[in-house]
Structure formats: structure tokens, C-alpha cells
Amino acid sequence: MGIEILGINAMGLESGNAENCAGRTIPWLQETIDHPCWTPWAATWRGVIILDRENQRAGLFNLTPHDLGSEANYDMLRAMIL
């Protein structure tokens, strides 16, 4: 099974969707009342949520304190994903 990457957006922040998606190819999931994702996955702003094969949260890596310009941070996130 391959690795899939997508972005998620919390309810109430829909107005920025067009800007967030412009020029990007990563799929974008908009949370709705009928399809919640932000709260069940305990998402955070700039958080990378790693899910297992059953879509259960297996890890969290926040990009705010862990800039991927740092080789150590990049390697840490890569190891978590793999």
C-alpha cells in the first residue's frame, strides 16, 4: 500500500479554500458537519497527522516548531511516515 498525502481544513475556514488549493495538486478535504475530520483526528494548525491503515491516528508532527528546512526535522518526519 502506498503513502497518500492530503490537506484538511476545519469547519468555518472554508473561505480560504480557493487560495490554499491554487497551484497545488495535493487533494484537499473540507471538514463538514456530516464528515468531521479535524476533531476526530485531533488536528492542529500546521500539523501532519499520520494515520494507520484503519485511518486511526498513529502520530503527529507539527511544522511550526519543526521546520522541514532542517535536515533533522525532515528526517524525523520521513521516518514517522515510513
Side-chain angles (χ1 to χ4, degrees), residues 8-9 11 29-41:
I8 64 171
N9 193 34
M11 281 186 282
L29 176 65
Q30 176 59 57
E31 179 182 53
T32 65
I33 290 172
D34 294 332
H35 297 92
C37 59
W38 194 267
T39 301
W41 287 341

Side-chain angles (χ1 to χ4, degrees), residues 4-54:
E4 295 182 43
I5 298 175
L6 59 99
I8 64 171
N9 193 34
M11 281 186 282
L13 301 176
E14 296 85 355
S15 64
N17 280 344
E19 182 179 335
N20 288 333
C21 295
R24 294 184 171 89
T25 58
I26 294 174
W28 191 249
L29 176 65
Q30 176 59 57
E31 179 182 53
T32 65
I33 290 172
D34 294 332
H35 297 92
C37 59
W38 194 267
T39 301
W41 287 341
T44 60
W45 178 251
R46 300 195 74 219
V48 177
I49 301 168
I50 301 164
L51 303 177
D52 64 17
R53 291 184 175 151
E54 286 77 42

